[in-house]
């Protein structure tokens, strides 16, 4: 039997003051709680999730300053086994960037479109869609602009996007937007490149959102607590990012966390490296060198597989 709506409402109300402190002026605590309750009413499977996970999902939405009504496209609360998770919608990144003075544009590029871009000191994107019905998607792009900074650009080939889809646990579900060729798939392509763009933006709230998204794509239920720490369902994952809507460099941890199990180490390290600079990736490797050597000798095949993926990510970030 699922948890009653009255119990969920009571737990949310107890955190109303915290929600109000975290949310931007455009979203009230009452509205957040109301949309969470609407989500539970619309999807009875959420009532079967733990009450704490529903509160965690609401807290994540509040920290990111996103609505979770599922209508605006900013975010959704969805069940994953017995855990409620907040998932960022395709318009969520636009909303977070706009709040900090950035405008994010982007789209999918199809065969026949006129498309050119340049990276470097004077980056630009020019895209003139041909609007050919049914034309194959070949790439996706995203660009963040502000009045006093150069544009930040990301372009991903369709092969890169397909790699992301292949690693996504959610894409394996028949009702996943990844599997809707007409509306859902183009939207997910656009969201994927915007998430990659978020890693490059000088705003820790965007980087935390990207790390949250990445964890959930791997099938690891995660949330962001009121301090801005990314946490997995079984414990802390990353404390390297301070949530803030002002431009700021991502901060290296003052105290590197210890881990009781290989699973916790892999979850934390993957989340950290996803948004790390080259210097931060090298600092991570230096600190955990002994741990990596111990895991190299671990007998379990799954540990060896996870270690290989983690080291591949480290090489990507450090070169």
């Amino acid at each position: 039997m699922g948890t009653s709506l009255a119990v969920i409402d009571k737990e949310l109300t107890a955190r109303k003051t915290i929600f109000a402190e975290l949310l931007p002026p455009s979203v009230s605590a009452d509205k957040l709680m109301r949309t969470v309750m609407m989500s539970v009413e619309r999807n009875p499977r959420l009532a079967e999730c733990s009450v704490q996970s529903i509160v965690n999902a609401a807290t994540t939405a509040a920290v990111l300053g996103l609505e979770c009504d599922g209508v605006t496209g900013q975010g959704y609360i969805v069940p994953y086994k017995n855990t409620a998770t907040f998932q960022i919608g395709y318009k969520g990144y636009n909303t977070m960037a706009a709040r900090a003075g950035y405008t994010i544009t982007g789209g999918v590029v199809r065969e026949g479109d006129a498309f050119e871009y340049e990276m470097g000191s004077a980056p630009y994107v020019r895209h003139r869609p041909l609007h050919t019905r049914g034309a194959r998607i070949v790439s996706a792009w995203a660009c963040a602009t502000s009045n006093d900074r150069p544009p930040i650009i990301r372009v991903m080939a369709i092969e890169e996007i397909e790699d992301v889809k292949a690693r996504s646990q959610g894409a394996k579900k028949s009702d996943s937007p990844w599997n809707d060729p007409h509306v859902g798939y183009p939207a997910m392509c656009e969201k994927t490149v915007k998430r990659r763009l978020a890693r490059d933006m000088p705003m820790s709230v965007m980087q935390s959102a990207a790390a949250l998204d990445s964890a959930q794509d791997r099938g690891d239920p995660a949330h962001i607590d009121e301090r801005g720490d990314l946490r997995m369902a079984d414990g802390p994952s990353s404390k390297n990012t301070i949530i803030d809507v002002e431009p700021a460099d991502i901060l290296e941890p003052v105290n590197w966390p210890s881990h009781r199990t290989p699973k916790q180490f892999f979850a934390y390290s993957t989340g950290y490296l996803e948004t790390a600079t080259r210097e931060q990736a090298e600092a991570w490797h230096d600190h955990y060198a002994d741990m990596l050597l111990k895991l190299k000798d671990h007998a379990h095949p799954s540990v060896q597989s996870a270690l290989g993926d983690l080291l591949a990510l480290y090489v990507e970030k450090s070169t």
Side-chain angles (χ1 to χ4, degrees), residues 129-196:
L130 193 60
H131 297 300
T132 302
R133 184 176 179 84
R136 186 175 75 91
I137 296 174
V138 295
S139 61
W141 64 276
C143 178
T145 57
S146 67
N147 292 332
D148 56 351
R149 292 173 180 264
I152 304 171
I153 294 171
R154 271 287 187 169
V155 179
M156 295 179 68
I158 193 61
E159 292 79 9
E160 295 178 89
I161 295 172
E162 281 293 319
D163 286 343
V164 172
K165 178 185 175 184
R167 293 194 299 269
S168 171
Q169 295 300 308
K172 296 179 174 61
K173 300 178 180 179
S174 60
D175 59 350
S176 168
W178 278 112
N179 300 316
D180 172 13
H182 303 296
V183 178
Y185 185 79
M188 292 304 294
C189 290
E190 188 172 332
K191 177 188 173 183
T192 299
V193 74
K194 286 179 179 177
R195 183 174 70 191
R196 193 66 59 87

